[in-house]
Amino acid sequence: MLNKKYRDEAVLLKKEKIPETPKIVAWEAPSNIALIKYWGKKGNQLPLAPSLSMTLSNSNTRTEIHFKKAEGENGTISFLFNGEPDHPFVKKVKKYIHRIEPYFPFLKDMDLYIISRNTFPHSAGLASSASAMSSLALCICSIETMINKEEFSKERFFQKASYIARLGSGSASRSVYGNFVEWGRHTFGADEFAYPSSVKIHNTINFIHDSILIIASEEKSVSSSKGHSLMKHHPYKEARIKQATENLDKIRKALREGDFESFAETTENEALSLHALMLSSKPGYILLKDQTILAIEKIRNQRKKNKTKITFTLDAGPNVHVLYPLSDKDKARDFIEKELKIHCENGKIIHDFIGAGPERVDKNNDS
Ligand code: DP6
């Protein structure tokens, strides 16, 4: 059955309306936060170094695609993102779909009506490309299985979805899986798609929460794409590859052994190294704010002096992801409320936690 809100948006999408009997596919995919950072690319959207992320639960994008064989010679794409037909993301996605046509030749002859919506507020200052691109890639891979009536193994289906999501946004390759996810060649693994981490997580750190302090929700002054490209001739490029590889080993060990102190040290080293790379690129730039620094100093103090299992990571922006395991949730939440909230824009904090990964949400549909 179609979700009513999406049906209404679908009707808005085209003046001539979506035909009465299109097929529908829908996926809800989560955002992820990297602990070992992907920063810098090579070749066709391949990572310079391996990364590891934690998939979230509440920060999702839901994408629904209504599709049918095109009436004209060429297919058309109509797209509504967060209810807006002119959202900047719409242009990016249309280009992206043309780029992935060689992998899905049937797309050329299809009329596609795409409706995508984030479940987190637009103004939260959170990157949405990982969840948006992965939900879109999952939908397109599901359309392929429906059209070709081909049964892929589950493993192959998600590998292809990760590969295709990667072409839209590197970090999106990791959002097709839940829990801890790795991407990039290391002792094993691949650069072309992400894969679920094989590390057996110790039960003392196996349910990590992420409270996102919204320090500033404004658009960042330098995009991640620009940041990645500045790594090409970065004076610390080789050192960064070595550091990420070593930090991945360290964090795997810490997760396996339940060593929170080592987990925290590695996570923080990665977050601050990411920003150090931005500071030292040519031209250098600063995305951190004074409130970011004040908050992270307090978090470090709280861990050392008050023995709370709490740490942080940063994305390519000023917001702080405060990480703590379930065992220390009450203590951490109390501290966040009393000590960290004052550093947030309008006191805004988004509470999230590690999640199980994307879900296909059109199951009741008769397609
Ligand atoms: C700092 O995946 O947004 O969040 O591949 O150009 O779309 P593109 O970049 P993007 O970069 C994410 C960088 C990061 C670290 C990470 O997620 O690993």
Side-chain angles (χ1 to χ4, degrees):
M1 238 181 27
L2 264 175
N3 174 314
K4 166 100 172 53
K5 185 164 95 200
Y6 286 85
R7 183 71 219 175
D8 291 348
E9 286 192 351
V11 169
L12 275 179
L13 204 54
K14 275 229 141 186
K15 277 197 204 84
E16 63 268 33
K17 294 187 185 173
I18 289 182
E20 278 313 305
T21 53
K23 295 209 170 188
I24 302 144
V25 68
W27 278 87
E28 202 166 297
S31 193
N32 70 76
I33 178 69
L35 304 177
I36 306 297
K37 308 290 181 185
Y38 145 57
W39 201 239
K41 307 182 193 192
K42 59 185 183 202
N44 185 14
Q45 275 284 106
L46 299 171
L48 260 192
S51 60
L52 175 141
S53 61
M54 180 178 112
T55 298
L56 297 174
S57 278
N58 297 332
S59 312
N60 294 316
T61 303
R62 182 194 154 112
T63 297
E64 186 166 296
I65 304 187
H66 304 234
F67 61 98
K68 65 169 184 64
K69 191 136 183 51
E71 269 146 36
E73 218 165 84
N74 291 313
T76 58
I77 306 170
S78 310
F79 186 25
L80 214 55
F81 188 73
N82 278 341
E84 296 173 38
D86 300 319
H87 193 282
F89 194 59
V90 169
K91 217 167 139 197
K92 189 173 169 185
V93 163
K94 286 190 177 174
K95 254 196 183 150
Y96 164 73
I97 291 181
H98 291 308
R99 216 154 32 111
I100 60 171
E101 265 171 18
Y103 301 94
F104 304 101
F106 59 85
L107 283 177
K108 272 205 269 330
D109 313 320
M110 287 271 166
D111 286 337
L112 302 176
Y113 307 83
I114 309 171
I115 306 155
S116 227
R117 187 170 268 289
N118 290 338
T119 60
F120 49 96
H122 184 53
S123 59
L126 291 176
S128 63
S129 69
S131 52
M133 282 298 180
S134 63
S135 60
L136 184 68
L138 284 159
C139 283
I140 293 173
C141 288
S142 288
I143 295 178
E144 180 181 43
T145 56
M146 285 159 83
I147 288 188
N148 293 345
K149 298 199 170 45
E150 205 177 317
E151 275 304 318
F152 280 149
S153 71
K154 210 170 155 198
E155 191 186 358
R156 205 169 141 222
F157 174 85
F158 284 102
Q159 263 176 13
K160 180 153 186 188
S162 175
Y163 182 109
I164 295 300
R166 182 201 101 224
L167 297 175
S169 177
S171 53
S173 68
R174 297 184 308 237
S175 268
V176 308
Y177 297 110
N179 302 308
F180 290 99
V181 183
E182 296 182 23
W183 172 41
R185 206 159 283 151
H186 185 42
T187 41
F188 56 88
D191 281 344
E192 289 78 13
F193 49 83
Y195 44 96
S197 175
S198 60
V199 175
K200 190 166 176 344
I201 315 293
H202 194 277
N203 59 9
T204 54
I205 30 181
N206 85 355
F207 198 69
I208 297 189
H209 280 66
D210 176 7
S211 294
I212 308 155
L213 310 180
I214 307 302
I215 304 287
S217 60
E218 75 208 10
E219 184 110 354
K220 5 181 224 210
S221 53
V222 180
S223 71
S224 286
S225 304
K226 178 75 191 157
H228 284 295
S229 73
L230 290 171
M231 283 303 289
K232 227 174 223 141
H233 305 291
H234 200 290
Y236 304 143
K237 178 175 166 180
E238 292 311 316
R240 170 60 196 154
I241 297 172
K242 188 165 178 283
Q243 180 193 38
T245 310
E246 288 171 0
N247 275 346
L248 178 55
D249 282 335
K250 278 191 200 151
I251 210 160
R252 278 184 186 156
K253 185 167 184 285
L255 286 168
R256 196 167 41 237
E257 295 177 354
D259 182 347
F260 192 82
E261 196 48 43
S262 164
F263 171 80
E265 265 171 26
T266 314
T267 302
E268 293 179 11
N269 178 257
E270 276 292 308
L272 296 173
S273 297
L274 169 70
H275 285 267
L277 289 165
M278 296 174 196
L279 290 165
S280 54
S281 55
K282 281 188 190 148
Y285 59 102
I286 307 175
L287 298 182
L288 300 174
K289 303 275 187 209
D290 52 354
Q291 300 303 311
T292 314
I293 308 289
L294 294 173
I296 66 184
E297 279 181 343
K298 280 189 180 171
I299 296 167
R300 284 182 149 174
N301 244 349
Q302 177 72 7
R303 181 166 79 257
K304 301 239 149 77
K305 298 221 171 85
N306 296 329
K307 305 273 174 257
T308 309
K309 285 185 179 163
I310 194 164
T311 183
F312 69 86
T313 188
L314 302 162
D315 220 332
N319 301 330
V320 182
H321 289 247
V322 188
L323 307 173
Y324 46 94
L326 181 63
S327 60
D328 284 44
K329 183 178 169 193
D330 292 346
K331 228 166 145 186
R333 282 285 177 93
D334 191 49
F335 163 70
I336 291 169
E337 195 59 29
K338 291 196 181 119
E339 298 287 338
L340 300 180
K341 203 175 177 154
I342 51 164
H343 300 294
C344 302
E345 185 182 86
N346 305 319
K348 180 106 188 105
I349 300 173
I350 295 178
H351 296 293
D352 212 332
F353 50 90
I354 193 161
E359 203 185 334
R360 186 162 171 183
V361 287
D362 63 307
K363 288 190 192 91
N364 299 327
N365 162 345
D366 57 1
S367 50

